[in-house]
Amino acid sequence: MTRRPPWWLAALLVPLLVAGCGQPAAPPQAWHDGRIFLATGNTTGVYYQLGGGYADVISRHLPGYEARAEPTGASVENVTRLASGDMEIAFSLADTAADAVAGRGAFAGQPQPVRALARVYSNYTHVIVRAEAKVTGFAQLRGKRVSTGSPKSGTDIIAGRLLTAAGMDPDRDVHRFTLSLPETVKRMRAGTLDAMFFSGGLPTPGIADLLSSAPGKFQLLPIADLIEPLNAAYGSVYTTAELSKDAYGTPSGTPTVTVSNMILVNADMPDGLAYDLTRLLFAYQSDLVGVHPEAGNFTRQSASGTDPIPLHPGAARFYRGG
């Protein structure tokens, strides 16, 4: 029959056993103290909606982290704030992200240290005119009052490039206003703008609100014929597609110019965190689709095709199945 050791002997042995095994490892320190801010876009755009859904997924399913979506002026501002460390994740159009990596355009001479987690859905370029302005072709925007989107946004960049491709000086041949989507919609309704640009997913809430509030008063302008001068100047980052009539209940589809969206992070993000953030996009993709249907328009295969923006090594490991 064995005897249990006296209580005093057990009390002596416990500290020795703990010392012999080593102290339990402290949990790793969360990057940026566990706070993740997502740079999105205008509050009535898809970036903001999806960013909010992604932030919720991160907060619920990534232990030690809390995420929040922040409204911004979109792509250029997002990349700048990401590179400065003010934001941890940023949505951006692929053309802006490509400029940032190459140090051209808005980032001339200053390549930005950004990397991609995923290429997601495509943005459709909306060029909307008031029916009363009697604009039936893109060239007729000359001399009109036009909003090209928020300053330093991807919309503002592509609007300028489209106007240039059509042989117009964006700052001289139109009366250019750089306004947020909510302000643009307000002025279109008031009749103080003749036309507007917006690059967004389908449907973009602010656009849907404008078109549904006054059927027949506003029209989408076809612009797909500008793709050749665009590609000649900027490469294959731009493509064409039909903006479906079902997106906004318009009488017919509208041929337009499209560009992919990227989810970006800073190059200094830890590999493990980048891996987890990429994993969450797919593990909870159905949750994101519930926020906006554009979240269903990317796959594991398509998301990894971020060229010319390099994948973050952590994201690359996810796509390799590591």
Side-chain angles (χ1 to χ4, degrees), residues 180-251:
S180 70
L181 180 56
E183 182 63 21
T184 295
V185 167
K186 178 181 175 181
R187 295 198 189 190
M188 287 288 284
R189 284 181 174 144
T192 57
L193 286 174
D194 300 307
M196 62 170 286
F197 288 77
F198 191 76
S199 180
L202 300 179
T204 291
I207 302 294
D209 186 45
L210 174 68
L211 297 180
S212 65
S213 65
K217 188 174 180 179
F218 305 102
Q219 298 171 351
L220 284 156
L221 207 61
I223 58 169
D225 58 345
L226 294 172
I227 192 64
E228 288 189 14
L230 272 180
N231 284 346
Y234 304 104
S236 60
V237 70
Y238 297 110
T239 55
T240 60
E242 181 173 271
L243 199 164
S244 168
K245 65 180 183 179
D246 296 330
Y248 301 107
T250 52

Side-chain angles (χ1 to χ4, degrees), residues 53-69:
Y54 190 22
D56 182 58
V57 165
I58 294 168
S59 296
R60 287 189 292 116
H61 300 292
L62 190 58
Y65 286 91
E66 183 175 349
R68 188 172 76 187

Side-chain angles (χ1 to χ4, degrees), residues 73-76 93 95-96 147-163 170-171 176-179 197-199:
S75 296
V76 176
L93 289 175
D95 54 352
T96 301
S147 172
T148 58
S150 299
K152 297 185 177 181
S153 67
T155 294
D156 193 34
I157 288 174
I158 195 170
R161 291 178 175 180
L162 285 166
L163 288 164
D171 296 312
R176 186 178 191 175
F177 298 84
T178 51
L179 306 170
F197 288 77
F198 191 76
S199 180

